[in-house]
């Protein structure tokens, strides 16, 4: 039985659910009066698609040549930075692997020579001692050659023994359907050419050469890329490639500034932070309030929503069309999350279960697993650990659970909260779980021992959400004391407090980060609030929802914000450069981390 009695009638709305009018943003004076102004241009999705996708098909990272190229590039960089000893160590370790490759090549050379010379015992020895990816196929062709030569020499008994002992077990490796049948037929013929499959037989020597050439191709006998060791390499090759990668990231962004940004880190993809000023799309279709939202994959093409109508819907962010509806829960959806590839979605429900969905094919989404615990009550929170190997779930029964996706079992439980757990996430390192509870505390749990290592008691109301920054240095918590608070995860000291919104009674209003510079959150007054992280000033108010805003999530790839509301709708918000009436949108300077206003 849930303690959320205030939610009992929250889906009974008093207005007609037609598609709302375009929302407006209320820019603040601080944003309007900002001194630095840069031009910003929006790239429509059609232009973004012109950028070649950085996929594995571009080159084979396991190719011997590519591997050697990478080693040479790294060695060049180490040498240019004065790390001579490290460069020597790198080449020493690389030469050990190269020696293994040379040994393999040597075996292939000897195998070819043995086939041409008809030294079949040597062929057997090489095949038994060398790791061959196509070993069975190679042996089948070798034994077939031996068999044909025995037929050629009219050694019927030996041929029969070879057929029965060696070829029969490898019949599945035959080159075409019916080849083994023709091999058997040869035992009754006067000549090899009498069998349909071997009419082109032109003697022992020629067939050995053809076999050797065929196996050479299979084994990739050619030393691919050896010439690259002598190929000239341009100076500063690593830095050049990294600049090209960053340029690609900038070009593929939805927003472009007039000024060339100075990127402070290459550990994460470049993504400009803009403050939305206009409603982009409204997503209508749910039959109840929408408690949560999550982007399906990092690209932001699709977004998912969980509703009190017991369903999860997946939407196209460009067309606002519903492309999939996931049914199976028997109570409201409290929380959802998706993996980075967008192939798996996880949902937490008031029916006491967590469901795992395969959404690779949005035309046929499937529930692949249901995690249920006895008498657990509502599951309010679900999230993935950084490796996406485990699911973190928490809820009404005051317990946090860690579910192993591989074994399909709960592998750790965390007890200690006095009231239900509203939200639980992992830190970016994956060694801690951070939880917020209705007991007004934020707790830190060691993932291995399951023990609480720290508890924060600064909030004066129920904690409704927790979120960590991408850097792993900051923690953001939301509470029903009308505040969102920023914490330093290293010292666990409170840094800032964000106010102006309303969060006193409803479950659950959440907040999150927009890049490194901004904080965004929902509110009971139906407005999406965006704060400057450092100054704590409200830099934007996005109006358009006709009910409580529960959740808001930012997608850096698309440069859009998605909000979920009590009015049964999901909305996306973007920065419209042509909207001159809304001058308060911001661009995050990658040089200083400051904010610059844009007209």
């Amino acid at each position: 039985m849930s303690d959320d009695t205030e939610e009992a009638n929250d889906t009974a709305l008093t207005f007609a659910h037609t598609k709302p009018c375009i929302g407006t943003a209320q820019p603040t004076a601080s944003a309007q009066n900002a001194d630095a102004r840069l031009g910003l241009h929006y790239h429509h999705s059609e232009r973004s698609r012109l950028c070649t996708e950085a996929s594995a098909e571009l080159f084979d990272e396991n190719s011997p040549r590519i591997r050697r190229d990478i080693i040479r590039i790294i060695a060049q960089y180490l040498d240019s930075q004065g790390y001579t000893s490290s460069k020597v160590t790198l080449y020493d370790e690389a030469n050990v692997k190269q020696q293994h490759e040379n040994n393999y090549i040597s075996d292939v050379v000897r195998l070819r020579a043995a086939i041409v010379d008809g030294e079949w015992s040597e062929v057997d020895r090489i095949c038994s001692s060398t790791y061959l990816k196509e070993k069975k196929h190679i042996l089948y062709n070798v034994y077939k050659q031996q068999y044909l030569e025995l037929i050629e020499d009219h050694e019927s008994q030996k041929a029969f023994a070879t057929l029965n002992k060696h070829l029969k077990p490898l019949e599945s490796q035959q080159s075409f359907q019916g080849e083994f049948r023709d091999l058997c037929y040869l035992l009754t013929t006067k000549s090899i050419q009498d069998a349909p499959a071997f009419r082109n037989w032109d003697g022992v020597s020629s067939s050995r050469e053809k076999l050797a050439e065929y196996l050479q191709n299979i084994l990739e006998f050619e030393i691919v890329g050896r010439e690259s060791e002598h190929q000239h390499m341009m100076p500063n090759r690593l830095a050049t490639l990294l600049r090209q990668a960053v340029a690609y990231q900038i070009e593929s962004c939805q927003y472009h500034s007039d000024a060339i940004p100075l990127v402070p880190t290459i550990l994460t993809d470049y993504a400009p932070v803009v403050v939305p000023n206009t409603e982009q799309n409204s997503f209508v279709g749910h039959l109840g309030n929408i408690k949560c939202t999550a982007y399906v994959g990092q690209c932001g093409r699709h977004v998912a929503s969980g509703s009190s109508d017991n369903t999860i819907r997946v939407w196209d962010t460009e067309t606002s069309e519903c492309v999939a509806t996931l049914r199976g829960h028997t109570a409201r959806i409290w929380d959802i999350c998706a993996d980075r590839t967008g192939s798996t979605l996880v949902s937490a429900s008031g029916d006491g279960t967590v469901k795992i969905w395969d959404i690779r094919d949005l035309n046929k989404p499937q529930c692949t697993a249901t995690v249920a615990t006895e008498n657990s009550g509502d599951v309010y929170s679900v999230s993935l650990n950084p490796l996406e190997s485990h699911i973190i779930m928490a809820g009404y029964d005051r317990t946090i659970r860690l579910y192993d996706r591989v074994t399909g079992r709960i592998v750790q439980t965390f007890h200690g909260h006095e009231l239900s757990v509203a939200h639980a996430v992992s830190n970016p390192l994956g060694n801690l779980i951070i939880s917020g509870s209705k007991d007004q505390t934020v707790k830190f749990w060691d993932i291995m021992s399951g023990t609480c290592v720290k508890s924060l008691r600064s909030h004066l109301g129920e904690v409704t959400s927790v979120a960590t920054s991408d850097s792993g240095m900051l923690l953001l918590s939301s509470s029903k004391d009308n505040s969102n608070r920023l914490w330093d995860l290293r010292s666990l000291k409170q840094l800032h407090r964000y106010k102006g919104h309303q969060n006193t009674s409803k479950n659950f209003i959440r907040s999150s980060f927009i890049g490194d510079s901004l904080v965004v959150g929902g509110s009971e007054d139906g407005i999406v609030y965006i704060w400057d992280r450092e100054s704590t000033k409200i830099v934007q108010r996005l109006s358009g929802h006709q009910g409580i805003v529960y959740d808001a999530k930012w997608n850096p790839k698309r440069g859009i914000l998605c909000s979920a509301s009590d009015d049964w709708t999901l909305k996306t918000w973007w920065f419209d450069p042509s909207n001159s009436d809304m001058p308060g949108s911001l661009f995050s300077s990658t040089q200083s981390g400051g904010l610059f206003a844009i007209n």
Side-chain angles (χ1 to χ4, degrees), residues 53-88:
E53 183 181 357
S55 64
E57 286 74 22
L58 291 177
F59 63 84
D60 180 7
E61 64 186 71
N62 296 314
S63 163
R65 174 168 185 167
I66 295 297
R67 290 202 304 264
R68 282 191 289 270
D69 288 349
I70 293 173
I71 290 171
R72 288 189 64 199
I73 290 171
I74 295 174
Q76 183 194 58
Y77 179 78
L78 292 174
D79 189 51
S80 68
Q81 299 299 312
Y83 299 114
T84 307
S85 298
S86 299
K87 172 187 173 182
V88 172

Side-chain angles (χ1 to χ4, degrees), residues 281 283 286 288-295 303-307 315 333-336 507-510 520-524 526-528 545-553 561-573:
N281 285 312
F283 305 80
H286 277 298
N289 62 28
I290 303 175
K291 290 291 188 181
C292 51
T293 183
Y295 288 98
V303 67
S305 56
S307 170
W315 312 82
I333 312 301
W334 285 109
D335 198 13
I336 56 176
N507 292 328
F508 294 101
I509 293 175
R510 291 169 173 163
V520 62
S523 176
E524 291 172 9
I527 296 174
V528 181
H545 282 295
Q546 301 179 40
I548 301 163
V549 177
Y550 291 109
D551 198 7
K553 296 287 176 59
L561 182 71
C562 185
S563 56
S565 173
D566 194 60
D567 64 5
W568 301 13
T569 70
L570 198 71
K571 291 183 185 295
T572 53
W573 310 81

Side-chain angles (χ1 to χ4, degrees), residues 296-360:
V296 178
Q298 293 179 312
C299 71
R301 175 63 191 272
H302 296 101
V303 67
S305 56
S307 170
S308 292
D309 65 8
N310 307 347
T311 69
I312 303 111
R313 288 179 179 259
V314 181
W315 312 82
D316 188 312
T317 56
E318 294 181 6
T319 65
S320 71
E321 294 180 359
C322 179
V323 294
T325 302
L326 282 55
R327 295 183 172 88
H329 284 294
T330 57
R332 75 178 69 220
I333 312 301
W334 285 109
D335 198 13
I336 56 176
C337 67
D339 64 1
R340 286 183 287 271
T341 63
S343 60
T344 301
L345 186 141
V346 188
S347 56
S349 171
D351 62 14
T353 69
V354 167
K355 289 185 180 292
I356 304 173
W357 308 83
D358 183 346
I359 55 173
R360 287 174 292 183

Side-chain angles (χ1 to χ4, degrees), residues 127-140:
C127 288
S128 61
S129 62
T130 305
Y131 172 73
L132 301 173
K133 294 181 181 179
E134 303 287 344
K135 190 168 186 175
K136 288 186 177 180
H137 186 66
I138 291 171
L139 287 174
Y140 173 81

Side-chain angles (χ1 to χ4, degrees), residues 227-244:
E227 67 278 7
S228 68
E229 296 178 0
H230 307 289
Q231 183 176 343
H232 171 70
M233 181 165 55
M234 297 173 59
N236 303 317
R237 186 59 181 156
L238 179 60
T240 299
L241 289 174
L242 291 175
R243 289 192 187 98
Q244 291 172 355

Side-chain angles (χ1 to χ4, degrees), residues 2-4 6-7 10 290-292 332 334-335 378-381 395-396 420-423 436-438 462-465 478 480 503 505-511 522 548-551 564:
S2 171
D3 61 353
D4 300 296
E6 71 272 18
E7 299 290 343
D10 59 359
I290 303 175
K291 290 291 188 181
C292 51
R332 75 178 69 220
W334 285 109
D335 198 13
D378 290 31
V379 183
Y380 295 138
S381 171
Y396 178 73
S420 57
V421 182
H423 207 195
S437 167
K438 290 193 174 187
E462 300 174 4
V463 179
T464 56
S465 75
S478 301
K480 290 184 180 179
N503 183 9
S505 61
K506 298 299 182 180
N507 292 328
F508 294 101
I509 293 175
R510 291 169 173 163
S511 62
I548 301 163
V549 177
Y550 291 109
D551 198 7

